[in-house]
Amino acid sequence: MSIVVTGASGHLGRLVVDQLLATGTPPTQIVATGRRTDKLADLAQRDVTVRRADFADPATLDDALVGTDAMLLVSTSTVGERFDNARTAIDAAVRAGVSKIVYTSMVNASTARMTLADAHRRTEEYLRNSGAAFVILRNGWYLENYTDQLPVIAQYHALMGSARDGRVSAVSRRDLAAAAAAVLTQDGHLGATYELGGTALTLAELAATFSDVLGSPIAYQDMSVADFTGTLTAAGLPAEMAASVADADAGLARGELFTASDDLAKLIGRPAITAHEAVREAVTAAKSR
């Protein structure tokens, strides 16, 4: 079976390709795609098929999907274009006769009110109505959204947000990649929608985790959505992205990034990576640079 991974030059897509290779999928049965194939050159050297796929150019998707059986559709990062990009990819997969489309949605997509959920909800509906066989992976909020902030958190001794005491079932990209690889290569998942999250915690508890690993006090600084948006913008985040991140924290406060589902552990066959483990790994990596 030939598997195509969209966005293979991005964080999650690349981890999925790595996981497929690590679990025994022959490289010649993997098609890694991206807008810039030069970023995938090392995969080509490992006998992975590399093809250009640009959601703005449907013809490239038609070419990328030739001879493939399953597609992992990794949702794109540009919020305003996410649904249109997904619809284009789904249409191309249907034209190509792809037998299984796996889509990376977000946790609680059908009920969440945050801005990010809208495109995922619309994509899920479009996929279900497409006539294609599908699996929906509702991915939880990345632990990396927090561990990537390590330098700033360590400098200012604070984790900032507007999540109040909401609980987030944060999960590592590595675990989500393992789940994606499992449903791409195993039978028995068609038509399923999986809620994928790790052990839930509040941002105050996450700040305490940073404190424990760093050995210095880290406080959670809660602020209004407007103030958090302004803080993110002042830190250099583009206005649209800053508003989206702050809006997601408002959703977190409402419980929209929490799931009690054990789908992830069942799919990957082990407990999810904890926040403590993720922070420790991030600190170790920072020290080695």
Side-chain angles (χ1 to χ4, degrees), residues 6-231:
T6 72
S9 57
H11 293 296
L12 180 60
R14 179 53 183 259
L15 285 171
V16 173
V17 173
D18 289 342
Q19 181 68 17
L20 288 169
L21 291 169
T23 52
T25 301
T28 54
Q29 293 182 10
I30 302 171
V31 179
T33 73
R35 284 182 296 177
R36 291 183 51 185
T37 55
D38 59 299
K39 292 185 176 182
L40 304 171
D42 63 307
L43 291 176
Q45 293 174 357
R46 297 168 65 185
D47 294 328
V48 172
T49 300
V50 170
R51 295 174 182 170
R52 180 171 177 266
D54 184 346
F55 291 105
D57 184 356
T60 65
L61 289 169
D62 290 332
D63 292 341
L65 289 165
V66 170
T68 60
D69 303 300
M71 176 179 75
L72 176 68
L73 174 54
V74 179
S75 55
T76 57
S77 57
T78 307
V79 176
E81 300 174 0
R82 182 171 283 160
F83 172 68
D84 288 339
N85 288 341
R87 179 173 55 187
T88 298
I90 292 167
D91 288 347
V94 171
R95 287 194 300 271
V98 169
S99 59
K100 176 166 48 178
I101 300 173
V102 180
Y103 173 62
T104 63
S105 184
M106 68 166 283
V107 70
N108 299 318
S110 59
T111 57
R113 291 185 283 132
M114 68 176 70
T115 303
L116 287 174
D118 180 65
H120 289 299
R121 186 162 47 246
R122 293 167 66 197
T123 299
E124 287 188 11
E125 181 179 2
Y126 192 82
L127 180 56
R128 289 190 176 98
N129 292 332
S130 70
F134 66 87
V135 184
I136 293 172
L137 301 177
R138 289 183 171 171
N139 289 348
W141 204 238
Y142 297 151
L143 277 167
E144 289 83 357
N145 290 340
Y146 303 111
T147 57
D148 286 353
Q149 299 179 49
L150 177 63
V152 175
I153 291 170
Q155 179 180 356
Y156 294 101
H157 298 279
L159 170 65
M160 293 177 287
S162 53
R164 301 200 301 271
D165 59 354
R167 299 169 70 204
V168 55
S169 302
V171 60
S172 74
R173 286 195 188 100
R174 193 160 72 245
D175 283 346
L176 295 174
V183 301
L184 284 165
T185 56
Q186 298 172 359
D187 296 328
H189 300 288
L190 292 182
T193 297
Y194 294 116
E195 301 279 356
L196 305 180
T199 303
L201 73 171
T202 66
L203 293 196
E205 291 169 337
L206 181 58
T209 297
F210 276 99
S211 296
D212 180 53
V213 176
L214 289 169
S216 61
I218 304 295
Y220 172 56
Q221 183 177 340
D222 194 68
M223 56 187 72
S224 70
V225 172
D227 286 345
F228 188 34
T229 302
T231 298

